[in-house]
Amino acid sequence: MRMRGADSRPTIPMRTAVRGVQQPLPPLVVTEAPQRPASGARKRPDRRLHAIDGLRLVAALMVVVHHYAGTYRVNQPGNAIWGRPVSEIMPTVFRFASYGWIGVEIFFVISGFVICMSCWGRTPRQFFVSRVIRLYPAYWFGIVFTTGVLAALPGVWPRQPWREVLLNFTMLQAGSGVENVDRVYWTLWSELRFYLLFLVVVATGLTYRKVVVFCCAWGAAAMLTPVAGLPLLQLLANPEGAWYFIAGLALYLMHRFGQDLLLWGILGMAWLMGQSELGQRIDEVEHVSGWRGSVLIFTVFLLVMVAIALGAADRVRGKWLVTAGAVTYPLYLMHYVAGTTVINRLRDVMDARVLVVVVIGGFVLLSWVVHRLVERPVAGVLKRGLDTSFARLRNAGQAG
């Protein structure tokens, strides 16, 4: 929303009587009071929202349980993971786990919220560094770990050629048509495209108006590119995931500036487009859950996010929630291929439900260890190295 400057209104000359003579006073400039981008809302200070850390863990566990006991793959006769349909082994677990894939869409919404919050007031360099140190350390470990498990326990998943494994370290393998070491890495490609687009807005300086315009422009592109027949534009627009990220951006603007009709409109459009994408994914990929249940879960999650954005969870604090949020990324990266391979080896040793709980608990613990002993130290080294490199670039530019 445009702020009017000091020269946007005409000046009003004022006179007063001094010793009987009309003397002009300096002109009084009349300006409008600054307008808030949301109706009557006071801007909230940015601070870590522990409730979102909790939601991250919930979303991660949804995805993990789905992959272990709720996918179309594990419900096929003679599947390599359980040996027979999981709906026969634990029908109640399967019924709930079949909806766990929605955790990915929840991740995308949370990502839009958190990225906008963490980038506010930052430079493009700071944005780039923050994304590199957040994404790559745990991801690199995940590749090494998963490749090691496949080498030690063959038979469930095929091993990739070394040249493809090495290309995975770039996180750009999807752009080269190379398979992911772990199938869950497909979401990282969607995240990277979001970062690339949002970097343009960060470079111009984030404001309420610019983020709103970005949401509208990206949403329009996501709607039009599937029928435009332009592969490059469709790749950038990411119509499969765009509206989830847009929902997160709108929710953050609600959190920072307060709610207004425009933000509710963007969020409503994101819900409408999201429910359609959920149905399409069920038809084309999942095949195990229903549209109504999926939309209900997604709707409840958005309402919870609205409550968090508007301050209902500001008092929710806890160090354990911070830890929960920290382990979700390593957990997501390592759980699928390695976890299903472990299930294959132990499925005849213990009860299926106990096995799922034990494997999940083991990977949560491993994720905490990776966060403390790998992710944090490597991120520190990367940050120092990148800061030094950018300082050198800046100094070289000034010297040139």
Side-chain angles (χ1 to χ4, degrees), residues 48-88:
R48 190 180 189 101
L49 296 173
H50 291 197
I52 288 186
D53 288 316
L55 281 182
R56 280 174 167 167
L57 181 61
V58 170
L61 292 176
M62 287 173 62
V63 174
V64 173
V65 173
H66 173 68
H67 284 153
Y68 291 169
T71 65
Y72 179 77
R73 177 188 177 90
V74 299
N75 202 41
Q76 298 305 299
N79 68 83
I81 299 168
W82 290 100
R84 58 194 180 100
V86 73
S87 60
E88 298 178 2

Side-chain angles (χ1 to χ4, degrees), residues 149-162:
V149 170
L150 291 179
L153 303 173
V156 179
W157 298 96
R159 290 179 58 187
Q160 291 178 256
W162 281 109

Side-chain angles (χ1 to χ4, degrees), residues 66-281:
H66 173 68
H67 284 153
Y68 291 169
T71 65
Y72 179 77
R73 177 188 177 90
V74 299
N75 202 41
Q76 298 305 299
N79 68 83
I81 299 168
W82 290 100
R84 58 194 180 100
V86 73
S87 60
E88 298 178 2
I89 302 172
M90 37 185 172
T92 302
V93 174
F94 173 77
R95 189 174 302 115
F96 287 98
S98 63
Y99 288 92
W101 57 271
I102 304 172
V104 171
E105 281 68 22
I106 293 174
F107 272 132
F108 286 164
V109 176
I110 293 175
S111 180
F113 186 103
V114 172
I115 291 302
C116 193
M117 178 172 65
S118 62
C119 290
W120 209 276
R122 287 191 173 187
T123 65
R125 176 187 62 80
Q126 292 171 324
F127 174 65
F128 174 81
V129 171
S130 70
R131 291 303 88 204
V132 169
I133 66 175
R134 178 70 181 100
L135 292 181
Y136 278 96
Y139 173 72
W140 287 335
F141 181 87
I143 293 174
V144 174
F145 174 77
T146 301
T147 302
V149 170
L150 291 179
L153 303 173
V156 179
W157 298 96
R159 290 179 58 187
Q160 291 178 256
W162 281 109
R163 64 180 182 274
E164 296 186 0
V165 173
L166 292 174
L167 186 60
N168 268 250
F169 280 90
T170 67
M171 206 182 288
L172 304 176
Q173 62 273 10
S176 302
V178 171
E179 290 291 330
N180 297 306
V181 168
D182 193 312
R183 294 188 179 188
V184 300
Y185 295 169
W186 71 267
T187 61
L188 300 177
W189 182 237
S190 189
E191 291 272 357
L192 287 176
R193 286 179 283 169
F194 165 50
Y195 299 158
L196 179 63
L197 290 175
F198 201 61
L199 179 61
V200 177
V201 190
V202 174
T204 65
L206 294 183
T207 65
Y208 170 86
R209 179 179 181 179
K210 289 177 182 177
V211 177
V212 167
V213 171
F214 173 77
C215 290
C216 296
W218 190 16
M223 287 189 293
L224 297 175
T225 51
V227 296
L230 300 173
L232 179 59
L233 186 58
Q234 184 166 354
L235 178 67
L236 290 174
N238 187 16
E240 297 82 10
W243 284 102
Y244 302 115
F245 294 113
I246 290 171
L249 295 173
L251 285 163
Y252 176 69
L253 291 180
M254 284 187 181
H255 172 73
R256 186 177 180 90
F257 298 107
Q259 59 181 313
D260 61 23
L261 185 58
L262 180 58
L263 295 179
W264 277 111
I266 293 173
L267 188 61
M269 181 65 75
W271 181 88
L272 290 171
M273 299 300 292
Q275 62 82 27
S276 177
E277 195 276 335
L278 292 176
Q280 185 175 354
R281 182 169 172 184

